[in-house]
Amino acid sequence: MANMSSSKDIKEVWQYLQTGFNEMFAVYTLCTAESQDIKKLSGGCTNHTSAGETVYYLVVNIIKEHLKNVGTLLSSLSGTELIETYIKQWEKNTNAVKYAKNIFSYLSRHCIARMNEEGNEVVSIADLFPKHWLTEVVPKVGAKVSVEIQKLVDQKRQGMNVPEIGLVKAVAESYDQIQEACKYMVASGDKIFKTHFLNMIVKDAAAFYKPVASSFCDEMDAFAINFETEIWVKQEKQIATDILGEKHIAQYKELLLHTLQ
């Protein structure tokens, strides 16, 4: 279908939409029809699973190609703009995949389950998004995103006002969601939050506090050191809350203490 101009009236818009609905219902009918109707509907295909597989892999390819473009877009950005756009794209595509899940729900009911029963190990429409975000977006921009996150967190540790710190937590939540969805699907999918976010934050904290602690130990008495350490602990706990949320604070504390030993 051609692109729809925003200046069209409601009748023209509806005609445009109706064409899409008709095509969607035709695909649904093809993929869910009884066996005696399949040959007539599919031009000779005698297995409606085959028709469903065709549609499924078309959806896979659309998502992959779309996320490749998202990765290319993000890779051209830097600074806070990169983090802001990353979150906007994540949220936009997360919402979009909810609609795709509903539109193609018949694939889950009639095709995906059967494909898995036959040993094909395919994932749901909903899980296609985090799976291919991990393979198509993260490799292109993961390192750049980490650098920008480090800058924001370092500014926070130095006592600066950092309004953008909420963006860091949003990135952390995206990695956490990807990890949860991909832990059984993609190699290293079960480690993305730890490898791309948590370890980086821990390493950065250790690099910040070790030199400062060393210089203070040379110059200050035990009372002053304990007082200063208490301030650091409170500060780091607040930073951890700001960027991780309660869910991962215990894990972060354990890793940080291990690193500082």
Side-chain angles (χ1 to χ4, degrees):
M1 293 185 294
N3 291 332
M4 194 69 205
S5 170
S6 59
S7 63
K8 300 293 184 180
D9 63 30
I10 188 63
K11 289 183 179 180
E12 291 173 297
V13 170
W14 179 251
Q15 185 177 9
Y16 172 79
L17 291 174
Q18 188 175 23
T19 302
F21 284 134
N22 290 340
E23 291 176 356
M24 187 170 65
F25 285 131
V27 171
Y28 175 86
T29 301
L30 175 61
C31 295
T32 61
E34 296 297 330
S35 57
Q36 63 265 27
D37 298 324
I38 288 298
K39 190 169 184 179
K40 178 175 64 176
L41 289 166
S42 61
C45 173
T46 58
N47 185 342
H48 67 280
T49 301
S50 298
E53 284 184 24
T54 299
V55 175
Y56 175 81
Y57 286 113
L58 286 172
V59 174
V60 171
N61 289 335
I62 288 172
I63 291 175
K64 286 179 67 174
E65 289 303 313
H66 172 68
L67 292 181
K68 282 181 182 179
N69 293 334
V70 170
T72 300
L73 166 67
L74 293 174
S75 66
S76 67
L77 305 176
S78 60
T80 304
E81 183 183 15
L82 168 60
I83 307 298
E84 289 175 340
T85 308
Y86 175 97
I87 296 305
K88 286 179 182 177
Q89 287 293 326
W90 170 262
E91 292 176 347
K92 174 183 176 181
N93 285 280
T94 298
N95 289 328
V97 82
K98 292 177 182 177
Y99 291 103
K101 177 184 175 181
N102 290 333
I103 291 171
F104 295 104
S105 61
Y106 61 88
L107 287 178
S108 297
R109 294 195 305 271
H110 300 281
C111 177
I112 293 175
R114 189 177 293 107
M115 291 166 70
N116 280 317
E117 288 173 0
E118 295 171 354
N120 291 309
E121 296 185 356
V122 298
V123 303
S124 68
I125 297 296
D127 285 342
L128 284 173
F129 167 67
K131 175 182 178 180
H132 292 296
W133 188 279
L134 177 59
T135 60
E136 306 298 338
V137 177
V138 173
K140 291 183 179 179
V141 299
K144 289 181 70 175
V145 168
S146 294
V147 169
E148 300 306 329
I149 286 173
Q150 284 179 304
K151 290 178 183 177
L152 293 174
V153 176
D154 283 345
Q155 291 171 10
K156 189 73 175 177
R157 286 198 180 101
Q158 293 164 15
M160 299 171 62
N161 181 33
V162 187
E164 302 89 353
I165 199 69
L167 297 174
V168 178
K169 188 174 183 178
V171 173
E173 289 173 347
S174 76
Y175 285 158
D176 193 30
Q177 290 173 39
I178 293 169
Q179 177 171 292
E180 186 62 28
C182 296
K183 58 186 176 183
Y184 301 119
M185 295 191 297
V186 182
S188 77
D190 61 333
K191 301 183 181 72
I192 177 175
F193 176 79
K194 187 174 181 181
T195 57
H196 281 77
F197 194 88
L198 195 59
N199 286 349
M200 179 266 293
I201 295 295
V202 169
K203 183 179 179 181
D204 198 40
F208 179 82
Y209 287 114
K210 276 185 175 180
V212 179
S214 177
S215 65
F216 273 18
C217 287
D218 293 338
E219 300 171 7
M220 303 172 69
D221 60 28
F223 175 81
I225 291 171
N226 288 335
F227 180 76
E228 195 66 34
T229 301
E230 186 176 341
I231 292 176
W232 292 342
V233 170
K234 289 181 179 179
Q235 172 181 284
E236 196 59 30
K237 184 176 181 181
Q238 184 59 55
I239 290 173
T241 301
D242 289 342
I243 66 178
L244 295 173
E246 295 293 334
K247 180 179 178 181
H248 296 289
I249 286 181
Q251 185 182 13
Y252 173 71
K253 180 180 178 181
E254 181 182 350
L255 287 171
L256 180 57
L257 290 174
H258 178 75
T259 305
L260 288 171
Q261 288 175 352

